[in-house]
Amino acid sequence: LEVSMEELRVLRARGARAAKHWPKANLGQVHKMEVVTPGTDGSAGCLRRGRYYLARMTLDQLTSSEFVEANMRNGSLSAVSTASIDSSNTIAICPNGRLVLRIGRADFEGMGIDGRRCRRDPNFYVVEVMMLAPGYTPGKSCHDRLRVVGTRAFDVLLARIVDGEPAAVEFCEGVEYRKFEATPLCRPLGERETPVFDGGNLGELEGKRLHEIGEGIVEWLG
């Protein structure tokens, strides 16, 4: 997978320092990043050319009704903030429209919204909101209370799919963003040990065993 120096640096960025410098990076150098996909035949069609965006956005902009309607009602949107998950507030949007926030205690208490304490770090809380739910509209608490930390900006990596193909992300006016194209090169690999995880059995697993599997995957990923 061809990744420019610019993209690699942003993905490794730590908080606000990255937002300050990434627009000025040199796009001339290209680096390679390996992605192992067990179970594929290694043909050139296993991965397709993709399009993604790096944007500087506030939570208010990411969760606005206009942004949701423009990018999530038609097709699917994936997004994740690039700040360090160890010490910063982080954001993710799943393709099914679920917003996942990992925020500090002060922000969580200021929101006044349901959530749970983060198991890995009790100083943070996890909040999940289904932005495609009928009740997610201006005037409803699940919509308006997100605005409490809405003015804080994040560096966000985004990609959108419509009818199985990469599509443009429609940003609100004033949002700074850059678009990139990813061209994957595929080749088969043999005798590589990777963990096998059957997601289809998730419903049959209970507490401790499921936790052990999750911990094992995290440890293998590093």
Side-chain angles (χ1 to χ4, degrees):
L1 195 62
E2 301 293 335
V3 180
S4 72
M5 174 73 82
E6 150 80 352
E7 300 156 44
L8 189 62
R9 200 189 66 75
V10 173
L11 291 173
R12 291 177 174 173
R14 300 297 184 193
R17 289 178 57 191
K20 195 174 181 181
H21 297 294
W22 70 261
K24 302 175 183 178
N26 179 13
L27 291 174
Q29 300 184 52
V30 174
H31 292 254
K32 290 184 178 180
M33 179 171 60
E34 276 193 348
V35 178
V36 180
T37 56
T40 58
D41 61 6
S43 66
C46 65
L47 292 172
R48 291 178 295 179
R49 185 179 182 88
R51 179 191 307 169
Y52 62 98
Y53 298 80
L54 287 169
R56 182 72 168 163
M57 300 182 72
T58 65
L59 183 59
D60 195 7
Q61 292 168 331
L62 271 171
T63 60
S64 69
S65 298
E66 295 79 7
F67 186 79
V68 172
E69 290 295 329
N71 295 287
M72 299 165 65
R73 294 293 181 189
N74 178 27
S76 62
L77 179 80
S78 301
V80 62
S81 58
T82 62
S84 169
I85 196 171
D86 296 324
S87 58
S88 305
N89 289 349
T90 52
I91 301 173
I93 298 177
C94 304
N96 65 353
R98 184 177 298 277
L99 170 73
V100 182
L101 301 175
R102 181 179 178 273
I103 55 177
R105 181 172 181 175
D107 288 330
F108 175 74
E109 293 177 346
M111 275 186 175
I113 198 170
D114 290 338
R116 65 182 186 275
R117 190 185 294 271
C118 182
R119 285 182 295 181
R120 288 184 174 273
D121 188 341
N123 294 316
F124 285 87
Y125 289 78
V126 177
V127 174
E128 297 187 21
V129 176
M130 190 62 186
M131 294 194 291
L132 294 179
Y136 187 79
T137 57
K140 299 291 187 179
S141 60
C142 63
H143 178 279
D144 295 348
R145 289 179 179 176
L146 291 174
R147 306 301 176 91
V148 173
V149 293
T151 58
R152 188 173 305 166
F154 297 83
D155 290 319
V156 186
L157 182 70
L158 309 98
R160 182 172 175 236
I161 300 294
V162 176
D163 296 329
E165 297 294 333
V169 175
E170 299 182 27
F171 293 98
C172 306
E173 185 177 354
V175 171
E176 297 180 8
Y177 68 90
R178 304 185 78 170
K179 183 178 76 172
F180 299 92
E181 300 284 344
T183 304
L185 302 174
C186 298
R187 60 189 175 91
L189 297 174
E191 300 181 359
R192 292 292 182 96
E193 292 187 6
T194 56
V196 176
F197 177 61
D198 184 3
N201 292 330
L202 275 177
E204 303 173 8
L205 301 175
E206 296 183 358
K208 184 177 180 181
R209 176 58 181 153
L210 185 59
H211 179 73
E212 289 175 352
I213 292 175
E215 290 289 330
I217 292 175
V218 170
E219 182 178 351
W220 182 82
L221 290 172

